[in-house]
Every structure is written in structure tokens, then in C-alpha cells.
Amino acid sequence: MNRAFAGLSAFPLTPFSGDRPDARAFAGLVERLVTAGVDSVTALGSTGSYAYLDAAERAEIARLTVRHADGTPVIVGIGALRTSWVLEHAARAEDAGAQGVLLAPMSYQPLTEDEVFELYRAVCERTGLPVVVYDNPGTTRFAFTPALYGRIAELPRITGIKIPGTALLEDPGGASDAAAGGDRNGIDGLDSTARLDSTARLDSTARLDSTARLDSTARLDGAVARLRGIRAELPEAVAVGVSGDALAATGLLAGCETWYSVIGGTLPRLALRIARTAGSEDAEVTLAASETFEPLWALFAECGSLRVVAAIAERLDLVEGGCLPLPLRDIDAAQRERLDRFLSGIDPELLR
């Protein structure tokens, strides 16, 4: 399998300074990921604030990522409102030397399945790069069905599908109904608007409830079955990756090849500990490792993961204060205090 589509794919912030992307700080974030040993870097995902950057800024971020990744595979997000803009972003990512592109069906008007299919077909006909399907209904308000995954995966260039972790927690018989509801992934750990909800079997503090704690084996068995159902729609060569950091351990243990990670873009060593533990196939240890970080997942759910990782980057002096693109604002003082308590209890090695 192409290394760019397996293992831990880290999504760095695109920090701002004076209403412009901060190239120096961004380069430092990418170099930090490479030093930690992530398997790939995905720039301009939702954590990378792609929707807030113009075409020239996005092209520059793509170039900076490849330049500072020092040979680590780079995937670049190319989502945009119009197909012509998506094709332009894809061309610039290819020119920059990216190894793949990540595409979400971004829209203002609700999209139909045929419109989404035609978007991917247009890209696959024009780009020479592998394409990863980005399913994030919490932000795009479009939810893929397994059948649509399969239809798109038959296109040339489709190499991977990024599914929301909550897709592995649904009733397999109700997957289409849930998708029709348009909010299947109450959490996508990669996205600033992502929220955990009760359909993900997580309470408002993003903690696994007592039933899930007592029945983690059954929950994992269910995730394995649901992933098997998704894979049944796909060509064998298409990789399946999971997003939603709170559910990444479950996804990896269920058999997803890739973790598309928000926290991996700022605290790569923390994410690598979970990912590598999952690779040992010790389910109990892996789930326990993820649950150690529940206070962080709770803040992701409450504030949006982008705001939280921006606050972490500021606390570690990786970026300037106020690094989010306006009108986005920092987390409040009480939330920052909770974040500080969490970080103070973490092994300092994981914060490097």
C-alpha cells in the first residue's frame, strides 16, 4: 500500500498572523511532525483552515508543506465551492509535489449524490495524483452512503476513503438512514465544527459511557462488522482511514489502515503512542490509552477541535496568540484552564 495512505496522517494548523498565514510558524509545525515520525502530513484539511484561504495562500501552503516535509508523504486538501476551483487547487497541489489530494464535497447549497459523484469524476479525469474521499458531514452537511463510497471508488485515482469514526458505531442496518440525516459524524476530530453527540454513544463531556466501558469488546466487534460492510462496497486496493480522534483507537483496531488525526498535527507523539499501540493489536491497552485523553476529547466536542489545537500550539509557543482566522476566536479562560490541567498531567515527552 502507498505509504501516504497508511499509518498516522497528521493534520497541522495553518496559523495566522495579521490576517495572513504565518509561513514561518507553519513550516515549524511541519518540521515538528517529520521529527516525530508521522507517516504522512495532510495540509489544508479542516484543521488547516482550507476554507479560509484564498487560492494563492493555499498554493503557498502546499509548497511549504512539501518543502519542509523532507520526503515524508504530503497530502493536500483541495475542497472548494466550485468544481473549477477544485481543479485549480488540485493542479497547484500537483505542481507543489504532493503525493495525493484530499477532497470533501464542500458546498453552500445541499448536494445530491450525482453532483458529488460528478465532482470526483471531474477531479479524477484531470489530476495525476491519488485522491482521498473526505467524508465529513459534520462540516459539509453531506453524508456518504456505503453505496456511494463504492460508486466513487471505482473511479481511477481514488486511493482512499476517510470515514468518520461514528460510521463504525451505527446500526449497520440503519447506515443509509443515518447518512440521510446529514449529521452522521457528530464528531470528526479533524474539523472545527465537529461535535460528539449521543448517536456516537458519547455523552456531552465526550466520555465513553459506563455501558461502553463494560462492553468495549462488543463495541469493537460491532465496529469490525460495520467496517467489513463498508469494505464490501470498495475495490480491494482502496484504503479506509478513520477520523474523529476520540474514536480513532476503535477504528484502527477494527482494521482501518489510516488515522487522519487532528491532534497528530500538533502533538504527534501523543497520537503516535495511540497509533503504535493499536498496531500491537492489544485492544484493551489501546482503548485504555485513548481513554486517558478523554479530557482532551471532551474539549474537542465542546469547543471544536481546531480551537483546542490552536490553544495547545499557543501554549507550547509554536504559534503566535490569536492564530485562528477571523471570525474564529480562541477558547475561553475556563476552557483554557481545563486544557492546562490536562496538559500538565501528560508525560512531557508526548508534548515535544
Side-chain angles (χ1 to χ4, degrees), residues 166-183:
T166 51
L168 300 176
L169 298 182
E170 293 166 355
D171 176 357
S176 296
D177 292 338
D183 195 25

Side-chain angles (χ1 to χ4, degrees), residues 186-212:
I187 168 179
D188 183 330
L190 296 171
D191 301 298
S192 62
T193 60
R195 296 292 185 268
L196 290 165
D197 60 20
S198 59
T199 62
R201 299 183 185 175
L202 294 166
D203 64 18
S204 60
T205 63
R207 295 183 182 278
L208 293 169
D209 63 25
S210 58
T211 301

